[in-house]
Amino acid sequence: GTSGLLLVYRDSYTPLADCIVHTLCHALPNNWYQKVVVLAATDVLTGYRQSLVKLKNSSQAIQTTTKGPSDIKFFPYLSGEQTPYNEANLRPKFSGTSKSTTAFDMARANQEGVSFVRRDCLETLRNTDIAPKQLIAISCGSASVYWLHPLAT
């Protein structure tokens, strides 16, 4: 899929009904995990690349423009969001664009927006009694240093 997920193992059933943290049973008896989800993590850059601009390799585009946080902001809510807002009507939005904004600038803002939303998910976990000391990236974006770098910084 294209969602972004933070998953935390728990050795006890600890539901968090007052926030958007899902508690699910593990395959092993008496074990649990909790998760927070970004519904459209990597899909937003793919959709942007296919519909608005014709970037052949968006990762290369991002690499060539990475010099600190972008002035352009992107809110990557393609189909609403679960964590931390639980709002089905949220939609994507760019902010801070100008006539000098390039396709590369927008691709970078797209990636930074996804990273920011994942940070929102991490903070949602931290605002509960869950405080992961280490995060491990797996699946789609984990193979790309261009996706991992903003997540790590």
Side-chain angles (χ1 to χ4, degrees), residues 120-141:
D120 263 354
C121 287
L122 178 59
E123 292 305 317
T124 298
L125 287 174
R126 287 182 174 160
N127 288 333
T128 67
D129 65 340
I130 305 167
K133 294 182 176 95
Q134 180 180 0
L135 299 174
I136 299 170
I138 59 171
S139 196
C140 298

Side-chain angles (χ1 to χ4, degrees), residues 71-75 93-97 109:
D71 291 334
I72 301 167
K73 304 301 175 222
F74 178 66
F75 305 93
K93 176 185 176 184
F94 281 98
S95 174
T97 59

Side-chain angles (χ1 to χ4, degrees), residues 32-58:
W32 303 86
Y33 65 93
Q34 290 179 306
K35 69 177 184 172
V36 289
V37 180
V38 176
L39 294 177
T42 58
D43 201 29
V44 296
L45 188 55
T46 302
Y48 166 74
R49 187 178 67 224
Q50 291 172 349
S51 63
L52 297 178
V53 296
K54 301 297 181 201
L55 292 177
K56 291 184 179 179
N57 187 333
S58 54

Side-chain angles (χ1 to χ4, degrees), residues 79-95:
S79 54
E81 197 53 78
Q82 286 185 0
T83 307
Y85 308 110
N86 198 25
E87 175 54 63
N89 294 316
L90 284 175
R91 292 297 178 258
K93 176 185 176 184
F94 281 98
S95 174

Side-chain angles (χ1 to χ4, degrees), residues 66 68-69 112 115-116 119 122 145-153:
T66 302
E112 288 176 355
S115 296
F116 178 77
R119 178 61 184 244
L122 178 59
V145 68
Y146 312 116
W147 277 104
L148 289 177
H149 179 73
L151 290 173
T153 56

